[in-house]
Short mmCIF file of all heavy atoms in Angstrom, two decimals:
data_model
loop_
_atom_site.label_atom_id
_atom_site.label_comp_id
_atom_site.label_asym_id
_atom_site.label_seq_id
_atom_site.Cartn_x
_atom_site.Cartn_y
_atom_site.Cartn_z
N CYS Z 1432 -234.30 23.20 -64.20
CA CYS Z 1432 -234.98 22.95 -62.93
C CYS Z 1432 -233.90 22.50 -61.94
O CYS Z 1432 -233.37 21.38 -62.06
CB CYS Z 1432 -236.07 21.90 -63.07
SG CYS Z 1432 -236.97 21.70 -61.52
N GLU Z 1433 -233.55 23.39 -61.05
CA GLU Z 1433 -232.47 23.14 -60.07
C GLU Z 1433 -232.81 23.93 -58.81
O GLU Z 1433 -233.05 25.14 -58.90
CB GLU Z 1433 -231.13 23.60 -60.69
CG GLU Z 1433 -229.98 23.71 -59.71
CD GLU Z 1433 -229.67 22.39 -59.02
OE1 GLU Z 1433 -229.29 21.43 -59.71
OE2 GLU Z 1433 -229.82 22.33 -57.79
N ASP Z 1434 -232.85 23.26 -57.67
CA ASP Z 1434 -233.27 23.95 -56.44
C ASP Z 1434 -232.13 24.68 -55.75
O ASP Z 1434 -232.37 25.53 -54.91
CB ASP Z 1434 -233.93 22.97 -55.47
CG ASP Z 1434 -233.01 21.84 -55.07
OD1 ASP Z 1434 -232.53 21.13 -55.98
OD2 ASP Z 1434 -232.75 21.67 -53.87
N ASP Z 1435 -230.89 24.38 -56.11
CA ASP Z 1435 -229.76 25.09 -55.50
C ASP Z 1435 -229.65 26.48 -56.17
O ASP Z 1435 -229.39 26.58 -57.37
CB ASP Z 1435 -228.48 24.27 -55.74
CG ASP Z 1435 -227.26 24.90 -55.11
OD1 ASP Z 1435 -226.88 26.03 -55.53
OD2 ASP Z 1435 -226.68 24.29 -54.21
N ASP Z 1436 -229.89 27.53 -55.37
CA ASP Z 1436 -229.97 28.88 -55.93
C ASP Z 1436 -228.70 29.27 -56.68
O ASP Z 1436 -228.76 29.86 -57.76
CB ASP Z 1436 -230.21 29.92 -54.81
CG ASP Z 1436 -231.57 29.73 -54.16
OD1 ASP Z 1436 -232.44 29.10 -54.80
OD2 ASP Z 1436 -231.75 30.19 -53.02
N LEU Z 1438 -226.29 27.35 -58.01
CA LEU Z 1438 -226.09 26.59 -59.25
C LEU Z 1438 -227.10 27.02 -60.32
O LEU Z 1438 -226.76 27.15 -61.50
CB LEU Z 1438 -226.19 25.08 -58.97
CG LEU Z 1438 -226.00 24.16 -60.18
CD1 LEU Z 1438 -224.68 24.43 -60.90
CD2 LEU Z 1438 -226.07 22.69 -59.76
N ARG Z 1439 -228.34 27.27 -59.89
CA ARG Z 1439 -229.36 27.70 -60.85
C ARG Z 1439 -228.93 29.01 -61.53
O ARG Z 1439 -229.04 29.17 -62.74
CB ARG Z 1439 -230.72 27.86 -60.16
CG ARG Z 1439 -231.87 28.06 -61.15
CD ARG Z 1439 -233.23 28.03 -60.46
NE ARG Z 1439 -233.38 29.09 -59.48
CZ ARG Z 1439 -233.37 28.91 -58.16
NH1 ARG Z 1439 -233.27 27.70 -57.64
NH2 ARG Z 1439 -233.49 29.94 -57.35
N THR Z 1456 -236.48 27.15 -63.15
CA THR Z 1456 -237.43 26.79 -62.10
C THR Z 1456 -236.68 26.10 -60.97
O THR Z 1456 -235.56 25.61 -61.17
CB THR Z 1456 -238.52 25.83 -62.64
OG1 THR Z 1456 -237.86 24.66 -63.13
CG2 THR Z 1456 -239.31 26.46 -63.76
N ALA Z 1457 -237.31 26.05 -59.79
CA ALA Z 1457 -236.63 25.51 -58.62
C ALA Z 1457 -237.34 24.30 -58.00
O ALA Z 1457 -236.86 23.74 -57.03
CB ALA Z 1457 -236.47 26.61 -57.58
N SER Z 1458 -238.49 23.92 -58.56
CA SER Z 1458 -239.18 22.74 -58.02
C SER Z 1458 -239.81 21.95 -59.16
O SER Z 1458 -240.00 22.47 -60.26
CB SER Z 1458 -240.27 23.16 -57.02
OG SER Z 1458 -241.37 23.69 -57.71
N GLY Z 1459 -240.12 20.71 -58.85
CA GLY Z 1459 -240.69 19.83 -59.87
C GLY Z 1459 -242.05 20.32 -60.35
O GLY Z 1459 -242.33 20.29 -61.55
N VAL Z 1475 -232.45 21.13 -68.61
CA VAL Z 1475 -231.45 20.67 -67.63
C VAL Z 1475 -232.21 20.44 -66.33
O VAL Z 1475 -232.81 21.37 -65.78
CB VAL Z 1475 -230.33 21.72 -67.45
CG1 VAL Z 1475 -229.35 21.25 -66.38
CG2 VAL Z 1475 -229.64 21.99 -68.78
N LEU Z 1476 -232.23 19.20 -65.87
CA LEU Z 1476 -233.14 18.81 -64.79
C LEU Z 1476 -232.40 18.11 -63.66
O LEU Z 1476 -231.81 17.04 -63.86
CB LEU Z 1476 -234.20 17.89 -65.42
CG LEU Z 1476 -235.30 17.29 -64.59
CD1 LEU Z 1476 -236.07 18.35 -63.81
CD2 LEU Z 1476 -236.27 16.51 -65.48
N ASP Z 1477 -232.43 18.72 -62.49
CA ASP Z 1477 -231.81 18.13 -61.31
C ASP Z 1477 -232.66 16.94 -60.84
O ASP Z 1477 -233.88 17.00 -60.85
CB ASP Z 1477 -231.74 19.19 -60.20
CG ASP Z 1477 -231.01 18.70 -58.96
OD1 ASP Z 1477 -230.14 17.82 -59.09
OD2 ASP Z 1477 -231.33 19.21 -57.86
N ILE Z 1478 -232.01 15.85 -60.44
CA ILE Z 1478 -232.77 14.69 -59.96
C ILE Z 1478 -233.22 14.90 -58.51
O ILE Z 1478 -234.33 14.54 -58.14
CB ILE Z 1478 -231.94 13.39 -60.12
CG1 ILE Z 1478 -231.92 13.01 -61.61
CG2 ILE Z 1478 -232.50 12.26 -59.27
CD1 ILE Z 1478 -231.22 11.71 -61.94
N GLY Z 1479 -232.37 15.53 -57.69
CA GLY Z 1479 -232.71 15.70 -56.27
C GLY Z 1479 -233.42 17.02 -56.01
O GLY Z 1479 -232.80 18.00 -55.62
N LEU Z 1480 -234.73 17.05 -56.26
CA LEU Z 1480 -235.51 18.27 -56.05
C LEU Z 1480 -236.24 18.18 -54.71
O LEU Z 1480 -236.48 17.10 -54.21
CB LEU Z 1480 -236.53 18.43 -57.20
CG LEU Z 1480 -235.90 18.68 -58.57
CD1 LEU Z 1480 -236.93 18.50 -59.67
CD2 LEU Z 1480 -235.27 20.07 -58.62
N PRO Z 1481 -236.60 19.34 -54.14
CA PRO Z 1481 -237.23 19.30 -52.81
C PRO Z 1481 -238.60 18.62 -52.81
O PRO Z 1481 -238.98 18.00 -51.84
CB PRO Z 1481 -237.36 20.79 -52.42
CG PRO Z 1481 -237.22 21.55 -53.70
CD PRO Z 1481 -236.37 20.72 -54.60
N ASP Z 1482 -239.35 18.76 -53.91
CA ASP Z 1482 -240.73 18.24 -53.89
C ASP Z 1482 -240.92 16.98 -54.72
O ASP Z 1482 -241.97 16.35 -54.65
CB ASP Z 1482 -241.70 19.32 -54.39
CG ASP Z 1482 -241.44 19.70 -55.85
OD1 ASP Z 1482 -240.28 19.59 -56.30
OD2 ASP Z 1482 -242.38 20.09 -56.54
N ALA Z 1483 -239.94 16.61 -55.52
CA ALA Z 1483 -240.14 15.47 -56.41
C ALA Z 1483 -238.79 14.93 -56.85
O ALA Z 1483 -237.76 15.60 -56.72
CB ALA Z 1483 -240.95 15.89 -57.65
N ASP Z 1484 -238.81 13.73 -57.37
CA ASP Z 1484 -237.62 13.15 -58.00
C ASP Z 1484 -237.60 13.68 -59.44
O ASP Z 1484 -238.61 13.59 -60.15
CB ASP Z 1484 -237.77 11.62 -57.98
CG ASP Z 1484 -236.52 10.91 -58.51
OD1 ASP Z 1484 -236.04 11.28 -59.60
OD2 ASP Z 1484 -236.05 9.98 -57.83
N GLY Z 1485 -236.46 14.22 -59.87
CA GLY Z 1485 -236.37 14.78 -61.21
C GLY Z 1485 -236.75 13.78 -62.29
O GLY Z 1485 -237.26 14.15 -63.34
N ARG Z 1486 -236.52 12.49 -62.02
CA ARG Z 1486 -236.89 11.48 -63.02
C ARG Z 1486 -238.40 11.41 -63.18
O ARG Z 1486 -238.92 11.18 -64.27
CB ARG Z 1486 -236.32 10.12 -62.62
CG ARG Z 1486 -234.81 10.08 -62.81
CD ARG Z 1486 -234.19 8.90 -62.15
NE ARG Z 1486 -234.32 9.01 -60.70
CZ ARG Z 1486 -233.64 8.27 -59.85
NH1 ARG Z 1486 -232.81 7.36 -60.27
NH2 ARG Z 1486 -233.81 8.43 -58.55
N ASP Z 1487 -239.13 11.62 -62.07
CA ASP Z 1487 -240.59 11.62 -62.16
C ASP Z 1487 -241.09 12.88 -62.86
O ASP Z 1487 -242.11 12.84 -63.56
CB ASP Z 1487 -241.20 11.52 -60.76
CG ASP Z 1487 -240.97 10.15 -60.13
OD1 ASP Z 1487 -240.65 9.20 -60.89
OD2 ASP Z 1487 -241.08 10.02 -58.90
N VAL Z 1488 -240.37 13.97 -62.69
CA VAL Z 1488 -240.71 15.20 -63.40
C VAL Z 1488 -240.58 14.96 -64.91
O VAL Z 1488 -241.44 15.32 -65.71
CB VAL Z 1488 -239.82 16.37 -62.95
CG1 VAL Z 1488 -240.04 17.61 -63.82
CG2 VAL Z 1488 -240.06 16.70 -61.47
N CYS Z 1489 -239.48 14.31 -65.29
CA CYS Z 1489 -239.25 13.99 -66.70
C CYS Z 1489 -240.37 13.08 -67.22
O CYS Z 1489 -240.93 13.32 -68.30
CB CYS Z 1489 -237.89 13.31 -66.85
SG CYS Z 1489 -237.47 12.92 -68.56
N LEU Z 1502 -231.25 16.69 -69.97
CA LEU Z 1502 -229.95 16.40 -69.36
C LEU Z 1502 -230.16 16.38 -67.84
O LEU Z 1502 -230.49 17.40 -67.25
CB LEU Z 1502 -228.94 17.49 -69.74
CG LEU Z 1502 -227.58 17.45 -69.04
CD1 LEU Z 1502 -226.83 16.15 -69.35
CD2 LEU Z 1502 -226.73 18.65 -69.45
N PHE Z 1503 -230.01 15.20 -67.24
CA PHE Z 1503 -230.17 15.10 -65.79
C PHE Z 1503 -228.90 15.52 -65.08
O PHE Z 1503 -227.80 15.18 -65.53
CB PHE Z 1503 -230.46 13.65 -65.39
CG PHE Z 1503 -231.88 13.20 -65.62
CD1 PHE Z 1503 -232.15 12.16 -66.49
CD2 PHE Z 1503 -232.93 13.79 -64.94
CE1 PHE Z 1503 -233.45 11.72 -66.69
CE2 PHE Z 1503 -234.24 13.37 -65.14
CZ PHE Z 1503 -234.50 12.33 -66.02
N LEU Z 1504 -229.08 16.19 -63.95
CA LEU Z 1504 -227.97 16.46 -63.04
C LEU Z 1504 -228.19 15.59 -61.82
O LEU Z 1504 -229.29 15.54 -61.28
CB LEU Z 1504 -227.96 17.93 -62.61
CG LEU Z 1504 -227.94 18.97 -63.72
CD1 LEU Z 1504 -227.92 20.38 -63.13
CD2 LEU Z 1504 -226.71 18.75 -64.62
N THR Z 1505 -227.16 14.90 -61.40
CA THR Z 1505 -227.34 14.05 -60.23
C THR Z 1505 -226.13 14.11 -59.31
O THR Z 1505 -225.00 14.21 -59.77
CB THR Z 1505 -227.65 12.59 -60.63
OG1 THR Z 1505 -227.74 11.81 -59.44
CG2 THR Z 1505 -226.60 12.01 -61.54
N ALA Z 1506 -226.41 14.10 -58.02
CA ALA Z 1506 -225.34 14.08 -57.05
C ALA Z 1506 -224.95 12.64 -56.74
O ALA Z 1506 -223.92 12.37 -56.18
CB ALA Z 1506 -225.79 14.77 -55.78
N ARG Z 1507 -225.81 11.75 -57.14
CA ARG Z 1507 -225.55 10.34 -56.82
C ARG Z 1507 -224.81 9.71 -57.98
O ARG Z 1507 -225.15 9.91 -59.12
CB ARG Z 1507 -226.88 9.59 -56.63
CG ARG Z 1507 -227.77 10.27 -55.64
CD ARG Z 1507 -229.14 9.66 -55.76
NE ARG Z 1507 -230.14 10.63 -55.31
CZ ARG Z 1507 -231.42 10.58 -55.62
NH1 ARG Z 1507 -231.84 9.63 -56.41
NH2 ARG Z 1507 -232.24 11.48 -55.18
N ASP Z 1512 -228.71 4.18 -60.45
CA ASP Z 1512 -229.33 5.49 -60.54
C ASP Z 1512 -229.14 6.11 -61.91
O ASP Z 1512 -230.03 6.70 -62.47
CB ASP Z 1512 -228.71 6.43 -59.51
CG ASP Z 1512 -229.69 6.70 -58.39
OD1 ASP Z 1512 -230.61 5.88 -58.25
OD2 ASP Z 1512 -229.52 7.69 -57.70
N GLY Z 1516 -232.11 6.89 -64.84
CA GLY Z 1516 -232.32 8.19 -65.48
C GLY Z 1516 -232.72 8.02 -66.93
O GLY Z 1516 -233.57 8.73 -67.44
N LEU Z 1525 -225.24 14.21 -66.06
CA LEU Z 1525 -223.96 14.70 -65.54
C LEU Z 1525 -223.97 14.52 -64.04
O LEU Z 1525 -224.99 14.76 -63.39
CB LEU Z 1525 -223.79 16.19 -65.85
CG LEU Z 1525 -223.11 16.60 -67.13
CD1 LEU Z 1525 -223.08 18.13 -67.22
CD2 LEU Z 1525 -221.69 16.06 -67.22
N ILE Z 1526 -222.84 14.12 -63.51
CA ILE Z 1526 -222.75 13.94 -62.07
C ILE Z 1526 -222.12 15.18 -61.45
O ILE Z 1526 -221.11 15.68 -61.94
CB ILE Z 1526 -221.92 12.68 -61.76
CG1 ILE Z 1526 -222.70 11.45 -62.23
CG2 ILE Z 1526 -221.62 12.58 -60.27
CD1 ILE Z 1526 -221.88 10.22 -62.35
N LYS Z 1527 -222.76 15.69 -60.39
CA LYS Z 1527 -222.23 16.86 -59.69
C LYS Z 1527 -221.06 16.44 -58.81
O LYS Z 1527 -221.12 15.36 -58.22
CB LYS Z 1527 -223.31 17.46 -58.79
CG LYS Z 1527 -224.50 18.03 -59.51
CD LYS Z 1527 -225.49 18.53 -58.45
CE LYS Z 1527 -226.75 19.05 -59.08
NZ LYS Z 1527 -227.73 19.45 -58.06
#
Side-chain angles (χ1 to χ4, degrees):
C1432 184
E1433 167 59 63
D1434 59 303
D1435 182 296
D1436 294 340
L1438 180 55
R1439 190 172 61 253
T1456 59
S1458 74
V1475 177
L1476 180 53
D1477 185 28
I1478 286 183
L1480 294 167
D1482 64 331
D1484 185 310
R1486 288 167 293 194
D1487 291 342
V1488 172
C1489 182
L1502 172 62
F1503 282 118
L1504 305 180
T1505 177
R1507 307 167 206 160
D1512 252 20
L1525 269 179
I1526 293 164
K1527 295 177 183 177

